[in-house]
Amino acid sequence: VINLETMKLAEFLDHSIPCDCGRNHSTTLQMVEISSGALAKLPKSLRQLGYHRPFIVSDVNTQAIAGRQVADVLEQADLPYVALTIDTPEVVPDEATLGRVFMRFDLNCDLIIAVGSGTINDICRFVSHRLGRPYIVVATAPSMDGFASSVAPLITNNLKTTYAAQIPLAIFADLDVLTKAPLSMIAAGFGDVLGKYTCLLDWRLAALINNEYYCETIAALVKLALQRTIANTDGLLNREQAAIAQLTEALILVGIAMSYSGNSRPASGSEHHLSHFWETRLLFEGKKAILHGTKVGIATIIILKLYEYLRATIANFKPLTAATLRETDRDWEQKIRRVFQAAAPEVLLLETTARKNSPAKRNQRLIVIKEQRPEIRRLVATLPASGEIERLLSKIAGPTRPAQVGLDPQTVKESVLYAKEIRDRYTVLQLLWDLQLLESFADRVVADLWGTPRL
Ligand SMILES: [Zn+2]
Ligand SMILES: [Zn+2]
């Protein structure tokens, strides 16, 4: 029997855990160093792991925050390295940026060091995987849960797409660096963790309605990370070292949960789909990007509201008629072309293989939904109120409303309606579509957020 509560982070790393779900869970993450002065331990750890010539990737920001220090400690330890600092003002993980890293990579290097918690980490996770080299992460802010993720969200053909990649060999989180992170980045990490409420319920419902794999132990691990983080809200506001260490650990535990399930299911649901939709839209419009966790925090509140409407509505479930099922979105393709523009071909292609909107699959799910109404209601009732999450986020000055980060009602409405098309993953958005509630709920949530008459 596994007692998650008392397990130290290191214990999750070094062995495979046989689980009640029928699988053995393990991760290839070998080392996590969360401490004050962690970077000084880097050269010794590299030698211990058997590496002698790292390729260091940073951007202008992360170079100043930790990159230079990484280079310094390696030099002092007589470890040769090659460094690349991506000097574009805003690093976008697209074809051009990845191409640059591939072109500059020195084949004599035996390992990649990603200096950065977000985009740089995503890039290195993928590039190292394709180059057949391991990689390690030097965290620069506790801003998102991608540290130990096994997939890389990258942008191809203007669409955010999740690519298979590899998890890092080691994570170095120097608390002297992380406690100096801007409060907005700490609040973003907090928001990314809060999103686990909705993503875990999406996962649970997907298992119930869509017959998907689900693991109680993995879900419990993520819940534990969530609870510990919430208990630390005040400490985060005051940037207490212990609270920052705990948030970092929670973000890494979520990554380990993803390794355990073999995909991002335990960490990413409908709240992440909204966030990805907004990100792609902002990119198209040439607008300034918003921190991943900031978007996820705001999206979580929106998804919680949708769940609240569902909880009040599901008792009056009306089966859809055969005519409705056939009629479904006759002009769907046109709508997708209008909403996704340059990214539309990728979205349309996805549906040709996923067929998640086909009348046959929808009908199958509706049969289960009808049977499982009481259970769905019971599960939805376990969520916290949207107002409670809003209160927690604002406590550490995190934005809670789309308008605070420049997202307009139209974008939010379209994201609620179409974010589910970005990938084949059953969430509350598909559930509401199944029930023909998505359209009215999208209007309702926009009216609720902006306090304006419904669109
Ligand atoms: Zn399991
Ligand atoms: Zn996230």
Side-chain angles (χ1 to χ4, degrees), residues 95-116:
E95 292 91 337
T97 308
L98 284 148
R100 241 178 116 181
V101 181
F102 277 118
M103 288 165 89
R104 283 285 303 277
F105 183 76
D106 180 336
L107 282 168
N108 295 315
C109 291
D110 50 9
L111 168 117
I112 293 181
I113 300 181
V115 181

Side-chain angles (χ1 to χ4, degrees), residues 43-58:
K44 192 174 165 219
S45 302
L46 279 178
R47 286 189 170 119
Q48 245 170 29
L49 294 164
Y51 297 96
H52 304 283
R53 192 181 170 90
F55 183 74
I56 310 170
V57 183
S58 60

Side-chain angles (χ1 to χ4, degrees), residues 33-164:
E33 181 64 44
I34 305 173
S35 60
S36 164
L39 287 185
K41 299 177 186 165
L42 191 59
K44 192 174 165 219
S45 302
L46 279 178
R47 286 189 170 119
Q48 245 170 29
L49 294 164
Y51 297 96
H52 304 283
R53 192 181 170 90
F55 183 74
I56 310 170
V57 183
S58 60
D59 64 25
V60 177
N61 271 326
T62 63
Q63 170 65 6
I65 295 166
R68 200 159 299 133
Q69 200 188 337
V70 167
D72 285 349
V73 295
L74 294 180
E75 237 152 69
Q76 281 157 25
D78 284 325
L79 256 179
Y81 63 85
V82 178
L84 164 65
T85 301
I86 302 170
D87 58 4
T88 44
E90 197 174 301
V91 180
V92 177
D94 61 4
E95 292 91 337
T97 308
L98 284 148
R100 241 178 116 181
V101 181
F102 277 118
M103 288 165 89
R104 283 285 303 277
F105 183 76
D106 180 336
L107 282 168
N108 295 315
C109 291
D110 50 9
L111 168 117
I112 293 181
I113 300 181
V115 181
S117 299
T119 309
I120 294 291
N121 186 18
D122 291 335
I123 292 168
C124 292
R125 184 183 313 127
F126 177 78
V127 168
S128 64
H129 182 55
R130 286 293 165 102
L131 288 169
R133 303 288 197 285
Y135 95 107
I136 68 175
V137 191
V138 170
T140 47
S143 59
M144 62 185 286
D145 62 21
F147 295 125
S149 160
S150 62
V151 295
L154 303 173
I155 291 162
T156 35
N157 290 335
N158 300 302
L159 185 68
K160 182 132 183 164
T161 311
T162 304
Y163 280 84

Side-chain angles (χ1 to χ4, degrees), residues 9 82 86 101 113-114 122 141 167 184 213 236 254 284 294 418 446:
L9 202 146
V82 178
I86 302 170
V101 181
I113 300 181
D122 291 335
I167 68 166
S184 59
Y213 165 77
L236 290 174
V254 171
F284 271 143
T294 305
Y418 298 107
V446 166

Side-chain angles (χ1 to χ4, degrees), residues 19-23 25 213 215-218:
C19 185
D20 291 341
C21 72
R23 296 187 184 178
H25 299 311
Y213 165 77
C215 169
E216 286 288 351
T217 306
I218 298 174

Side-chain angles (χ1 to χ4, degrees), residues 380-392:
V380 174
T382 62
L383 284 172
S386 58
E388 170 64 12
I389 297 308
E390 203 164 351
R391 193 185 61 77
L392 281 171

Side-chain angles (χ1 to χ4, degrees), residues 144-145 192 196 267 272 292 296:
M144 62 185 286
D145 62 21
D192 208 9
K196 306 315 164 212
H272 274 72
H292 168 79
V296 171

